[in-house]
Amino acid sequence: MDILVTGGAGYIGSHAVIELHKAGFNPVIVDNFSNSKEEALRRVNELCSKEFTFYRTDVRDAVALSEVFAKHQFAAAIHFAGLKAVGESCEQPLNYYQNNVAGTMVLLELMAQHAVHNFIFSSSATVYGDPDSVPINEAAATRTTNPYGASKLMVEDISRDLCLAPNNAFKVCLLRYFNPIGAHHSGRIGEDPNGIPNNLLPYVSQVAVGKLKRLQVFGDDYDTVDGTGVRDYIHVVDLAKGHVRALQYILEKPADCYTFNLGTGNGYSVLEVVKAFEQASGKTVPYDIALRRAGDIAACFADASLAKAELNWQAEYSIERMVSDAWRWQSKNPNGYE
Ligand code: NAD
Ligand code: UFG
């Protein structure tokens, strides 16, 4: 069964391709390499002993993407392609709306034309903004504070409207990811951010490997266990498996729009993550306490029970496994895919 995987060369997409293949699907990858490298796909092929079909195509290019649709009879599309840096989205809002919203529109229109009605979308816990309470369930209010988050919420709204239309044939699964970290256990694929990382785990990994000097811990005066920010970190392989379950789920379900949190349900503070990383790597991660980062919230973790009940999916890997896999990837590939 051919499954279109946009953004399949990226961090989460590359892990999802492997899990889709393991579950018997045939992922067909589209990526423009705006935030990834060909080497990632080469390694995915190597790990699966298979040459996946790949198109170097921008999802905003309707002509090129329609040629991909003409060559395959897709059972579904899993849409990872998009831009994801919150700070950059404030500097380049048009670029974010163009890639994340207009790009998705091109994809959905082609899906409608080619009668491909199963759509899985990479949404984010960012749509909850600063939540009223934790753990956060799918019925919680949504609000956003930056163009990246707004672009995710817009696609959610478009998807819901699509499913409300008379005679709708679409089955949409909106997956709200919490904080994906870690890497494939082989250490061959993982997260390879451009420049100085924004996110905690890649930053900590680069300090441990000696590329960066010290971690700045953004605030130690939050109302949390030790004053530092608390997040729901989820192993990227668990997250990838969640997509396989979501796909199997919508293939069997009636046309509608379904929404799931993909998280572990556990929150860890910045200092707890640093400690777990130091234990796994045997390296010291020197840090300074810095001011709070603008836009950050104290605590964010999922109520993951809906995905468990409906998708029969729950995250399996511990924080120790997440950080040890992150370290294996970083220490074996200090310069990422270069
Ligand atoms: P990533 O940047 O590693 O992967 C995205 C991939 O999409 C890249 O390979 C990039 O080259 C490609 N891409 C971007 N724009 C494209 C376009 N117009 N046409 C074709 N390809 C394009 O990011 P990721 O961490 O793997 O995230 C995947 C998705 O999950 C994104 O939509 C992101 O917003 C969402 N998400 C990520 C996180 C996270 O923390 N990583 C959290 C929540 C949601
Ligand atoms: N942090 C530091 N120092 C750093 C980086 C991060 O102390 O150098 C702290 C943050 O203040 C926060 C925690 O580590 O308390 C996690 O920060 P990340 O930047 O790794 O992740 P966020 O929760 O801020 O945001 C991420 C993505 C968003 C997404 C959100 C929910 O970047 O796009 O998870 O999925 F919306």
Side-chain angles (χ1 to χ4, degrees), residues 219-255:
D220 69 348
D221 56 352
Y222 287 107
D223 184 15
T224 61
V225 56
D226 56 20
T228 65
V230 165
R231 297 291 183 275
D232 185 337
Y233 297 96
I234 174 170
H235 197 296
V236 66
V237 173
D238 274 332
L239 187 65
K241 289 178 180 167
H243 290 73
V244 175
R245 287 298 306 130
L247 175 59
Q248 291 163 334
Y249 181 82
I250 55 169
L251 288 173
E252 310 251 294
K253 284 280 164 180

Side-chain angles (χ1 to χ4, degrees), residues 129-169:
D130 191 352
D132 297 326
S133 60
V134 283
I136 310 168
N137 71 30
E138 290 81 352
T142 53
R143 49 176 93 92
T144 63
T145 51
N146 57 71
Y148 167 70
S151 75
K152 291 292 171 191
L153 203 47
M154 282 179 195
V155 173
E156 288 205 359
D157 289 341
I158 290 165
S159 302
R160 263 184 237 103
D161 287 344
L162 182 62
C163 293
L164 286 174
N167 306 318
N168 165 56

Side-chain angles (χ1 to χ4, degrees), residues 205-216:
S205 306
Q206 293 195 14
V207 171
V209 86
K211 285 184 78 180
L212 295 169
K213 285 209 158 46
R214 299 175 78 78
L215 171 72
Q216 304 298 306

